[in-house]
Amino acid sequence: MRILGIDPGLERIGYGVVDRNGSRLNTIAYGLIETPRINLPDRVRIVHESVLQIIDQHQPDAIATERLLFTVNKTNAMDVAKSLGVVLLASSLRGLPWAEYSPPEVKQSVVGIGNADKKQVQFMVTKLLNLEKTPKPDDVADALAVAITHAFRSRVPLRA
């Protein structure tokens, strides 16, 4: 099974592509989609086109995103939700199943503790994926953590 994990955002969207073969995880690709500070419709178009390009290049079997939780900045939350909407549109256009995980679910899956801190998650992402160094920035490590979570929790058939 190949999973595209996405850490939603508007200015910076982390992504990570992970294969699960049995209990083994392999990193295929990871990176950051960045949008310039231009008008919102053009920013979300950039996100949409970038996600389609990643899907077409890496052919995932599923997409998983981190659930948006905002308590302070409601304006930012709405813009990030619009960006997430075009990620879901890309998933739908390519016929891919989508899953969403809350931050505590991701932390529980990756670290074993639902209230783990960011450094613990980054450490475990690096170890579980056998990476030489911690993926940067945080958005990328978070996206890989979401992909790992889906790999651990999903019942999708294994990739041949």
Side-chain angles (χ1 to χ4, degrees):
M1 171 178 54
R2 180 166 289 176
I3 303 131
L4 170 57
I6 294 183
D7 181 37
L10 181 62
E11 189 170 328
R12 297 179 345 170
I13 301 92
Y15 71 89
V17 181
V18 173
D19 273 355
R20 184 189 85 194
N21 295 303
S23 61
R24 237 176 119 205
L25 298 174
N26 297 308
T27 309
I28 303 304
Y30 56 87
L32 193 65
I33 300 166
E34 294 182 271
T35 66
R37 293 183 181 216
I38 55 179
N39 66 51
L40 186 59
D42 290 331
R43 290 180 95 170
V44 296
R45 178 186 46 78
I46 290 168
V47 173
H48 178 67
E49 290 172 351
S50 298
V51 171
L52 284 175
Q53 183 178 29
I54 293 164
I55 291 170
D56 292 344
Q57 180 178 358
H58 297 291
Q59 299 293 306
D61 300 304
I63 292 181
T65 61
E66 188 169 56
R67 182 171 297 133
L68 303 178
L69 297 177
F70 288 93
T71 56
V72 179
N73 190 342
K74 304 287 189 212
T75 303
N76 188 40
M78 294 302 292
D79 287 347
V80 173
K82 292 167 187 166
S83 177
L84 176 58
V86 299
V87 170
L88 299 183
L89 175 61
S91 175
S92 176
L93 288 173
R94 294 301 187 257
L96 296 174
W98 166 70
E100 180 179 56
Y101 300 98
S102 70
E105 288 175 310
V106 173
K107 293 172 183 179
Q108 178 68 42
S109 293
V110 174
V111 179
I113 303 168
N115 63 351
D117 66 32
K118 200 166 272 297
K119 293 282 186 208
Q120 291 171 304
V121 173
Q122 292 170 346
F123 175 81
M124 286 306 297
V125 164
T126 304
K127 293 300 177 197
L128 289 168
L129 296 176
N130 199 28
L131 301 173
E132 290 184 20
K133 58 184 180 176
T134 302
K136 297 286 183 189
D138 294 351
D139 313 85
V140 175
D142 291 349
L144 286 166
V146 170
I148 291 168
T149 299
H150 192 67
F152 288 164
R153 293 180 174 224
S154 173
R155 298 198 191 310
V156 174
L158 300 178
R159 191 171 186 88

